[in-house]
Amino acid sequence: MSPTPPNAPNPGEPLIRDRGDACPGALRLHAADDGRLARLRLPGGRLTGRQVMVLADAAESLGDGQVSVTSRGNVELRGLGEDCGARLAGLLGGAGLLPSETHERVRNIVASPAAGLDGLGHADVQLWSRELDALLCGRAWTAALSGRFLFVLDDGRGDVAGLGGDVTLLAAPSHVTLRVGARSFRLPDPETAPRAALAAAEAFLAAATAAGTGAWRVKELPESHEPDVAGSLERAGIAAEAVRSETAAAMGGSHGAATHATADPLGPAAHATAGTLDAATHATAGTLDAATHATADPLGPAAGATTSPFPPEAGAHGGPLRPGLLGDGSLCVLAPLGRFRAGQLRALVPPAQGEVRLTPWRGAVVSGFADRTAAGARLGELADAGLITAPDSPWAGVGACTGRPGCGKSLSDVRADATPGPGGPYALPVHFSGCARRCGHPHGDWVDVVATADGQYTVNGAPTPRTALTAAVTQARTRPVPAPPYPPVPEMSEN
């Protein structure tokens, strides 16, 4: 689904948006070629067993029988009927999935999916996610946030810090770093982190209103209207110290409180990697290369760096979680091409004391098993159900947009044409796109497969016949992605 096209600015002029975003929600359905589409926000990706069952039932009774996981760990139901809106809202509301009808599109919170489950990380950011969600739903003004505005909560392992958050919280052993665009603040009291994220969002809205440009996201604000995050934190009674990266210092400092701030203790690499653990280890953890592709990571990966979708010790050193066992009583799986059939979703229902957490890598973490043996037994059942349960699966890290026939802008049925190439824990991710918008593509390095109007494809910009896709993807997944010869892509849709 296409974002609302902004008015193209001239060089040096700010981006102007003359209307609100068109992102669908659970109540505001989108008309697609395959029926209505609903997108349900799940803060932290969290679902109870009952909620899993309700979603599976809704997909079967109202939609096409599948549940898609988005690049933010939210879910989409497709193939919905014209008149099913009230019934869908009733099902979701009855399961506790719509705590606020007025705020349902702004509950965009991604949190480290394995937080609190495997002994890694520095904070249980899933708890922060719940608190932040309650804060968002409890304030009338937050309903003015765009459906694209994103909060990212990273427990310090660096798995989600590079996913392009407007407001990012990054846990460290003794503090939390709050990042808003290029600005960073050190929070000495981790318990204030959710309130600090809310204060940062308030500062953004104030700046967006003052700018009058209709900005949906922090990166769209004119340089002359930087959010007064320091002032917002002070008014909220939150202790914070502004820190300045070497990049900002080289540019002559930054505005407001950060002008006299100390140098960023995390250093420039903290803004160049998605894998921050602490000052000693972050520079090598999960580095991404946003310069390689058009949707730039606001945390700015180091130029020329590469990453795999499942790096060594992925849970600890950044990057997506590997499918398999997790900690003493949890597991992680991936959905083939990002979609669960209703029966596969039901197979994820956790033990009574557990929960499901959908991930931004289009999979799920299931917790609550008595031990690794019990988790392993369930993992085997999920493999039999057709889910990706091992990091060496060739389909691990392979994604695709909706494509034909569901999307009218797609030039091909990319899901039918998708081919994985070689698998393995070090293969690059690959994403099949039906058009140049590249909806749902991953962050960092990835193999870019795009359908063309002549019925063929490009692979990393190189024209490729449909019959040669497997060979081209195989070659591309096993080498660094070159600088693309194609122009920047517009901001993608979440799917």
Side-chain angles (χ1 to χ4, degrees):
M1 183 178 58
S2 174
T4 303
N7 294 328
N10 294 319
E13 293 184 355
L15 176 69
I16 305 294
R17 294 194 183 275
D18 56 9
R19 53 177 169 164
D21 74 88
C23 285
L27 301 178
R28 188 169 85 179
L29 307 187
H30 169 73
D33 280 19
D34 58 349
R36 297 282 173 173
L37 178 155
R39 181 178 297 160
L40 175 65
R41 272 70 174 181
L42 299 174
R46 180 176 176 268
L47 289 166
T48 65
R50 176 170 175 257
Q51 290 169 340
V52 169
M53 295 296 291
V54 167
L55 281 177
D57 292 345
E60 280 188 334
S61 63
L62 302 177
D64 64 2
Q66 300 181 93
V67 174
S68 299
V69 184
T70 76
S71 58
R72 294 181 172 186
N74 295 321
V75 298
E76 289 183 348
L77 300 176
R78 301 189 68 94
L80 299 169
E82 292 285 338
D83 57 354
C84 76
R87 186 178 172 194
L88 176 63
L91 287 172
L92 299 178
L97 290 167
L98 286 176
S100 172
E101 293 187 359
T102 56
H103 292 69
E104 60 105 359
R105 292 194 319 118
V106 305
R107 303 169 66 223
N108 291 300
I109 305 173
V110 172
S112 297
L117 299 178
D118 58 1
L120 303 176
H122 302 303
D124 188 346
V125 295
Q126 288 284 331
L127 298 180
W128 292 358
S129 174
R130 298 178 200 181
E131 182 178 348
L132 177 57
D133 183 37
L135 291 170
L136 285 171
C137 292
R139 305 291 194 278
W141 61 264
T142 57
L145 289 169
S146 162
R148 296 182 183 274
F149 195 90
L150 177 63
F151 297 90
V152 170
L153 317 181
D154 192 301
D155 69 358
R157 73 184 70 210
D159 56 344
V160 298
L163 296 185
D166 293 282
V167 175
T168 298
L169 294 173
L170 185 63
S174 60
H175 68 278
V176 177
T177 296
L178 167 69
R179 294 183 186 150
V180 185
R183 306 288 294 277
S184 295
F185 299 83
R186 182 187 179 101
L187 308 176
D189 183 1
E191 292 188 2
T192 65
R195 291 196 298 117
L198 186 74
E202 186 175 28
F204 161 77
L205 278 180
T209 300
T213 57
W216 299 343
R217 308 198 63 185
V218 170
K219 64 185 179 183
E220 296 176 0
L221 289 171
E223 291 183 4
S224 58
H225 288 79
E226 188 173 343
D228 181 16
V229 178
S232 188
L233 291 170
E234 182 177 3
R235 288 188 292 275
I238 299 171
E241 176 188 9
V243 294
R244 186 177 59 191
S245 70
E246 291 183 13
T247 300
M251 296 173 63
S254 51
H255 302 286
T259 302
H260 301 289
T262 59
D264 187 343
L266 299 180
H271 302 273
T273 168
T276 305
L277 291 175
D278 54 41
T281 64
H282 68 267
T284 59
T287 306
L288 303 176
D289 183 10
T292 300
H293 287 288
T295 333
D297 177 356
L299 300 185
T306 60
T307 186
S308 73
F310 305 107
E313 302 179 53
H317 296 290
L321 291 173
R322 304 182 204 177
L325 295 178
L326 180 68
D328 292 331
S330 302
L331 59 84
C332 177
V333 297
L334 300 175
L337 295 180
R339 286 186 182 174
F340 291 107
R341 298 191 303 273
Q344 292 174 326
L345 194 65
R346 292 189 183 99
L348 295 176
V349 171
Q353 66 273 29
E355 64 184 15
V356 170
R357 300 174 184 176
L358 300 183
T359 77
W361 312 293
R362 306 179 194 276
V365 167
V366 186
S367 67
F369 297 99
D371 51 35
R372 287 177 67 86
T373 299
R378 175 68 71 87
L379 195 66
E381 296 172 2
L382 295 175
D384 292 340
L387 300 182
I388 300 167
T389 60
D392 59 355
S393 166
W395 288 100
V398 179
C401 71
T402 297
R404 287 182 177 173
C407 177
K409 291 184 170 62
S410 180
L411 300 173
S412 183
D413 184 352
V414 293
R415 302 182 72 84
D417 291 341
T419 178
Y426 307 108
L428 285 173
V430 56
H431 188 75
F432 291 79
S433 302
C435 72
R437 296 175 305 145
R438 298 171 172 85
C439 292
H441 74 70
H443 285 257
D445 280 350
W446 45 285
V447 177
D448 182 48
V449 184
V450 182
T452 55
D454 59 1
Q456 306 303 317
Y457 283 86
T458 62
V459 177
N460 291 338
T464 305
R466 187 186 304 264
T467 55
L469 268 181
T470 298
V473 170
T474 294
Q475 184 178 27
R477 290 197 82 184
T478 55
R479 66 179 183 181
V481 178
Y486 39 80
V489 297
E491 181 170 308
M492 64 179 177
S493 177
E494 178 185 341
N495 69 8

